[in-house]
Amino acid sequence: MSIYESIGGAGAVQAAVDDFYARLLSDPQLAPFFADVDLKRLKSHQRAFLAAALGGAQIYQGRDMAAAHAGLEIGESDFDAVVTHLVATLTGLGVPQETIGQIGGLLAPLRSDIVTVPVTT
């Protein structure tokens, strides 16, 4: 059984995306990234991306992560905040910690495509 099926399929992904974006939009650090974004379209892309990434039958046809996030100046702390909100969303929806870890393992490699602001020392 895929992760997609184990968490409840399309309904669970939709609930997760809705809760996730509510969290992101209420976070003062992250909300500015979404100021001029068509959220309905973005949520649709996010649902398709997650469904495909988690083993659902859907095919993600959006841009690759580097292209989708180019020019947004996303830093390490921004990425980490998004991860925190995703974990909180999944935990709140009753997804087992082991499954959350598996999802994190699938998404963690995207950090290098999404984070575009170099770490300063």
Side-chain angles (χ1 to χ4, degrees), residues 57-91:
Q58 294 80 352
I59 297 173
Y60 176 69
Q61 297 179 339
R63 295 180 291 167
D64 66 61
M65 291 299 111
H69 295 89
L72 294 178
E73 298 186 15
I74 297 171
E76 294 286 342
S77 67
D78 302 317
F79 187 90
D80 292 342
V82 168
V83 169
T84 298
H85 288 302
L86 179 59
V87 169
T89 291
L90 296 172
T91 300

Side-chain angles (χ1 to χ4, degrees), residues 19-86:
D19 182 80
F20 178 61
Y21 278 97
R23 291 172 187 271
L24 296 180
L25 293 169
S26 67
D27 185 322
Q29 176 183 347
L30 301 174
F33 288 108
F34 303 97
D36 296 320
V37 173
D38 178 348
L39 285 174
K40 183 177 179 181
R41 183 171 179 256
L42 180 60
K43 285 181 177 184
S44 176
H45 280 286
Q46 187 69 41
R47 285 190 301 271
F49 171 76
L50 281 176
L54 301 179
Q58 294 80 352
I59 297 173
Y60 176 69
Q61 297 179 339
R63 295 180 291 167
D64 66 61
M65 291 299 111
H69 295 89
L72 294 178
E73 298 186 15
I74 297 171
E76 294 286 342
S77 67
D78 302 317
F79 187 90
D80 292 342
V82 168
V83 169
T84 298
H85 288 302
L86 179 59

